[in-house]
Amino acid sequence: MATPGRWAAAALLLAVAAVLPPARGFSLPLQRPADCGEARYFDISRLACGPCGAHQRQSAGGSSCVCQPGYKMVSSNGGSSVICEKCPENMSGVTQDGWNCIICPQGLTSEGKCKCLNNEILVERSIDGILLNEALCIRCNGSEQSFSASDASGNRCVRCEQTFINVSKSCDCSSPNILTGGLCFSASESLPPKGVATVRFGQLGITLTSAWFLKNLQSSASACWLYSNLTACQALGNMCVMNMNSLSSSSTDACGLFQYIYVNTARLGIVHSIAFWRHNLPWLYYGDQPGLASQVLEANHFPTIFSFKGTDKDVKLQFIAASFDAAGNFLKWQSLEGGILQLCPDTQTKLNAAYAFGTTYQQSCKISVSKILLDFASPIFYDLFLEYNGDNGQQYLWAVPVLNLNLQYSEMFVNQGSNMNNWLLTRRFFLVDALSGKENDLGKLPRVIRIASKITISIRLVSHTQRGTIYPPLITIAYTDVLVQNPETQSVMVSFSVSYEMNQSEAQIQTDITLGVLGGLAVLWSLLKTAGWKRRTGSSVIDLQTVLKFLLFYAGDLANVFFIITAGTGIYWLVFFKAQQFVSVLLPLPSQEEDFVTYVACAFSLKALQFLQLLVSQLTIDIFFIDWERPKGKVLKAVEGEGVIKSAAAPVSIWRTYFIANEWNEIQTVRKINPLFQVLAVLFFLEVVGFSNLALMDSSSSLTRSSESYIAPWSRILRFGVSAALWLAIAFLQIIFFSVFYERFVEDKPSQFVDLCCMSNISVFLLSHSCFGYYIHGRSVHGHADTNMEEMNVNLKREAENLCSQRGLLPNTDGQTFQISISRKMRLHYDRIHETLTRKRGPARLLDSSANTFEQSTRAYNTMNKFLSSFIDHVHKEMDYIVKDKLLLERILGMEFMEPIDKSIFYNDEGHSFSDVLYYGNETTLLIFDILFFSVVDLASQSFVLAAILTYLQQEIFRFVRNTLGQKNLVTKTLVDERFLI
């Protein structure tokens, strides 16, 4: 039960809810300390601006109030809880802490506090802490006994800078001496030229005066020149690096001053016998003229060997860097492991994978400018080396050259071209420069920052090496200039990569030679095919059709050439790259794979053209089923229109012909392999077993990778090599299985079709060309096939016990399949009958014009059946034929040397080559087309799964087209009713 107190509380809540603005919810206005102005402060509890009290202003930090000049604090609890009191007229100054008033004999600062002259320190309290009525300005003793001056804060006297003492024997640097950068130089000394404190940001078209350069450039150059001050020399070198190591004969910027000192200090000698490394100076250039890059990068080999399988020192690149700050102080030696040069964050394992020898590494991301400014407030400069062990066990360092793409030599970007002889290599580099872009005030945000947006370490293998010898690595850096406007919303894309390459010119020459030789052989083979085709068409005239046919043959043969080259290349790189221990070959770069991808595309295009031509030829063959069955006795038949009954020959059943037509229709797309199993097996081995991992551009030959390890980018050559090898291997195993086991013990469809023809007493007459084709002799040795089950079983038993003659066309032979080369006269006679067989309208030439279309077709069918059966029985002496064996060379070349002028020729064919007009006899073409289709889809999408799905879909689509159109051709050529084809 609700109490009166609860009802009162609920009513109060409802009243408060009614007062709240419904649209605001839980929102508040955004205010920053900079928005508050002088008379207000930023209240950190309310996150909003609040007013300061009387005689108060905003503090330097902005989060509290302080007294105005001439007022002292009486109490302060932070924020606006400050009470101020005006100082007396005779004590108008305020102490440094703001709590007391004091007399200032030398005047006030803008903040109302006491000030002193240079080399004086301010004293407001006695030694025991008692506040003085009048502040004291005590001058530091700059005489020879003490050489003291006030420090930067002006609170105590310290020993003055040594250059003051050296020049003036005091702490004053009065004229004519020169004061710059906090250092004092004598006017009588030979100083370097006056430096230009500007930094060029070429990408933005901006040249600005850098506060850092303005403060430190001249002093660093002078100290380096006069005193060989090591830190000053390093600082000068760093400023040159911040200016992109750019050189110009007319400029005295940081690099100009460095070069001036470098040239004029040759007497000091060199360091570590390196001609480009001068004593006391940092090593910035490999010479001051372009053209030395080829000597630096190729004249010497790196004095150690690498392998894919071995100890850490053999399989990892031991990079180490000497790091310096902007002021020239040496920081430390540090290994690159841990992501020192990788701006993109990642796990330790993946970051360190960049230095595993043979692993192509790629990393990229987008980083906000605000994070860059936070993480890289001060630039760090690196001199990079590659560590190795000498013969005596001593550790040595090999300097790694830098190719700065932003470097300008005489206003030209000499490092952006591909000609190595124009490059100007350097040594030192940085990742982020947020210092040189600061104008006027070093405490404020820079106007421009410079970021190493693209870093690439290139490793080149020495040609013909068998022991993993490499040339010195090269680090290529491209910098991006960013104009800082809104750091929170601005971002920049950065990348880091490690690439491996070797001279591929020899491999390219070998590929070109192979392509030339095999291409020439393909031309000869295509000419032989064209000659055979001309013989089979019965034509000897070279016309446009002949040229087109040659081009089609050549397209198919050239596709095989391209496939052999690409498959061989892919498998070669797969085996020799992944299986090697001591490195002798490296994968081509992605840019070097373009020719390979072009070859694959050419192979696919040409093979697709051959495949379509194959489909067209199979869909236009001439085919006829010869029925040898003869009528059994006579039957009485009423004559229509005459009212009389006459005896006639008993009709022969058409069902056997329909049955053979259905069987032929079924085997049109039967292949020597199972296409679905082929696709699934390839996909299983690639994605489940893990063979796809062999296509990664790393040294590992493992089929499994952990989720924590770095996954290298794919090699298109290796992807093609792995997939092609699996396709060929699985297809080869399938063909062996089907030919050795399945077709021998389960079913052999072509052979069973021949047996079925014999049992059905039907022969098959095929013409794939005008004067060439195939013949399947299906005449039953029992005379009749249209019989009951009992008689059929008796006939089969007699045949099994050799109680009847053999099935062959010739007596006492078993040869039932033939390649036939028919005479021109035979073809013309066939065409005359066939024209009537396929006519649907108009008068017939061989039949009564008054008969309807169905009767014409029926009579034409009977005529063709009678003609072909009589032709097989040698009835037509003017169109007779002979039976012979093909010569071995004829079998090899796939052509016939003899021309059937007077007599047709039947060639014994034990290989059932009539399957050439079916899918079954063209498995090589179909398999290569499937492989190329799969590979093209994969190379375009980088997805084996998508490639497998699309490959299976195209198989089914073309199988459907082949079945549908093949069935229509069968109906047209054989007069089999389409309704009886299942």
Side-chain angles (χ1 to χ4, degrees), residues 39-52:
R40 297 194 300 169
Y41 77 103
F42 186 75
D43 189 340
I44 60 175
S45 65
R46 296 171 49 240
L47 299 179
C49 296
C52 290

Side-chain angles (χ1 to χ4, degrees), residues 460-461 463-464 501-513 573 586 588 592 595:
R460 295 181 65 241
L461 190 69
S463 300
H464 306 294
E501 59 181 302
M502 63 178 291
N503 189 349
Q504 301 288 343
S505 59
E506 184 175 346
Q508 185 62 47
I509 291 174
Q510 293 175 351
T511 301
D512 293 341
I513 293 174
W573 287 112
L586 290 175
Q592 296 172 326
D595 288 343

Side-chain angles (χ1 to χ4, degrees), residues 829-897:
H829 196 80
Y830 177 89
D831 287 342
R832 283 196 297 269
I833 303 175
H834 186 266
E835 182 182 359
T836 305
L837 181 65
T838 57
R839 179 185 290 116
K840 301 300 182 184
R841 300 180 184 276
R845 297 181 181 177
L846 302 178
L847 304 175
D848 187 359
S849 60
S850 61
N852 58 39
T853 302
F854 178 75
E855 291 177 345
Q856 292 177 11
S857 298
T858 303
R859 293 179 185 179
Y861 168 80
N862 292 328
T863 303
M864 179 67 79
N865 191 77
K866 183 177 180 181
F867 166 68
L868 291 178
S869 59
S870 61
F871 170 74
I872 299 299
D873 285 339
H874 301 279
V875 173
H876 304 281
K877 297 303 180 182
E878 74 281 4
M879 292 182 291
D880 205 357
Y881 66 91
I882 59 174
V883 180
K884 60 173 297 187
D885 291 327
K886 261 193 172 183
L887 300 175
L888 177 61
L889 188 59
E890 287 181 314
R891 294 178 183 274
I892 294 174
L893 297 180
M895 61 184 300
E896 297 76 35
F897 296 158

Side-chain angles (χ1 to χ4, degrees), residues 481-537:
D481 301 335
V482 179
L483 184 64
V484 179
Q485 296 174 327
N486 188 348
E488 298 296 334
T489 59
Q490 287 180 278
S491 61
V492 62
M493 180 65 71
V494 297
S495 66
F496 178 86
S497 61
V498 181
S499 64
Y500 294 81
E501 59 181 302
M502 63 178 291
N503 189 349
Q504 301 288 343
S505 59
E506 184 175 346
Q508 185 62 47
I509 291 174
Q510 293 175 351
T511 301
D512 293 341
I513 293 174
T514 305
L515 180 60
V517 172
L518 294 181
L521 293 177
V523 172
L524 297 178
W525 189 247
S526 300
L527 288 173
L528 288 174
K529 284 184 176 180
T530 306
W533 175 79
K534 291 295 291 182
R535 176 65 56 87
R536 291 178 175 184
T537 57

Side-chain angles (χ1 to χ4, degrees), residues 262-381:
Y262 179 87
V263 171
N264 290 282
T265 55
R267 67 187 183 279
L268 298 179
I270 59 177
V271 179
H272 298 301
S273 301
I274 299 174
F276 313 116
W277 196 347
R278 191 65 44 81
H279 261 298
N280 302 326
L281 296 178
W283 178 13
L284 297 188
Y285 297 93
Y286 285 86
D288 58 354
Q289 297 289 331
L292 297 175
S294 58
Q295 298 180 28
V296 174
L297 297 175
E298 295 180 342
N300 299 298
H301 301 167
F302 184 67
T304 190
I305 60 175
F306 292 94
S307 66
F308 283 173
K309 303 172 180 65
T311 62
D312 282 348
K313 291 187 178 298
D314 295 333
V315 300
K316 300 197 78 173
L317 296 165
Q318 305 288 338
F319 283 109
I320 187 172
S323 56
F324 301 81
D325 64 10
N329 298 300
F330 175 79
L331 300 178
K332 60 181 176 179
W333 286 104
Q334 56 188 137
S335 170
L336 292 193
E337 291 190 347
I340 300 300
L341 300 186
Q342 291 136 292
L343 296 176
C344 298
D346 213 329
T347 64
Q348 192 81 3
T349 302
K350 293 182 179 180
L351 291 173
N352 294 342
Y355 308 110
F357 187 78
T359 298
T360 298
Y361 187 90
Q362 291 179 357
Q363 183 196 47
S364 62
C365 64
K366 185 177 288 187
I367 303 180
S368 67
V369 172
S370 61
K371 178 174 174 56
I372 292 175
L373 291 173
L374 180 64
D375 295 344
F376 299 93
S378 299
I380 297 178
F381 299 83

Side-chain angles (χ1 to χ4, degrees), residues 700-762:
S700 174
S701 55
S702 173
L703 299 183
T704 58
R705 305 296 169 91
S706 68
S707 58
E708 298 178 356
S709 63
Y710 170 74
I711 304 300
W714 300 105
S715 166
R716 290 180 289 184
I717 291 180
L718 291 186
R719 285 183 75 92
F720 181 84
V722 170
S723 60
L726 282 176
W727 270 89
L728 292 173
I730 295 173
F732 180 71
L733 293 176
Q734 277 208 81
I735 291 174
I736 291 179
F737 170 75
F738 277 101
S739 59
V740 175
F741 298 101
Y742 189 82
E743 292 181 353
R744 179 172 297 183
F745 300 109
V746 182
E747 62 174 352
D748 180 2
K749 289 187 178 295
S751 298
Q752 289 177 343
F753 179 77
V754 175
D755 292 338
L756 195 61
C757 287
C758 188
M759 296 306 300
S760 301
N761 203 16
I762 290 179

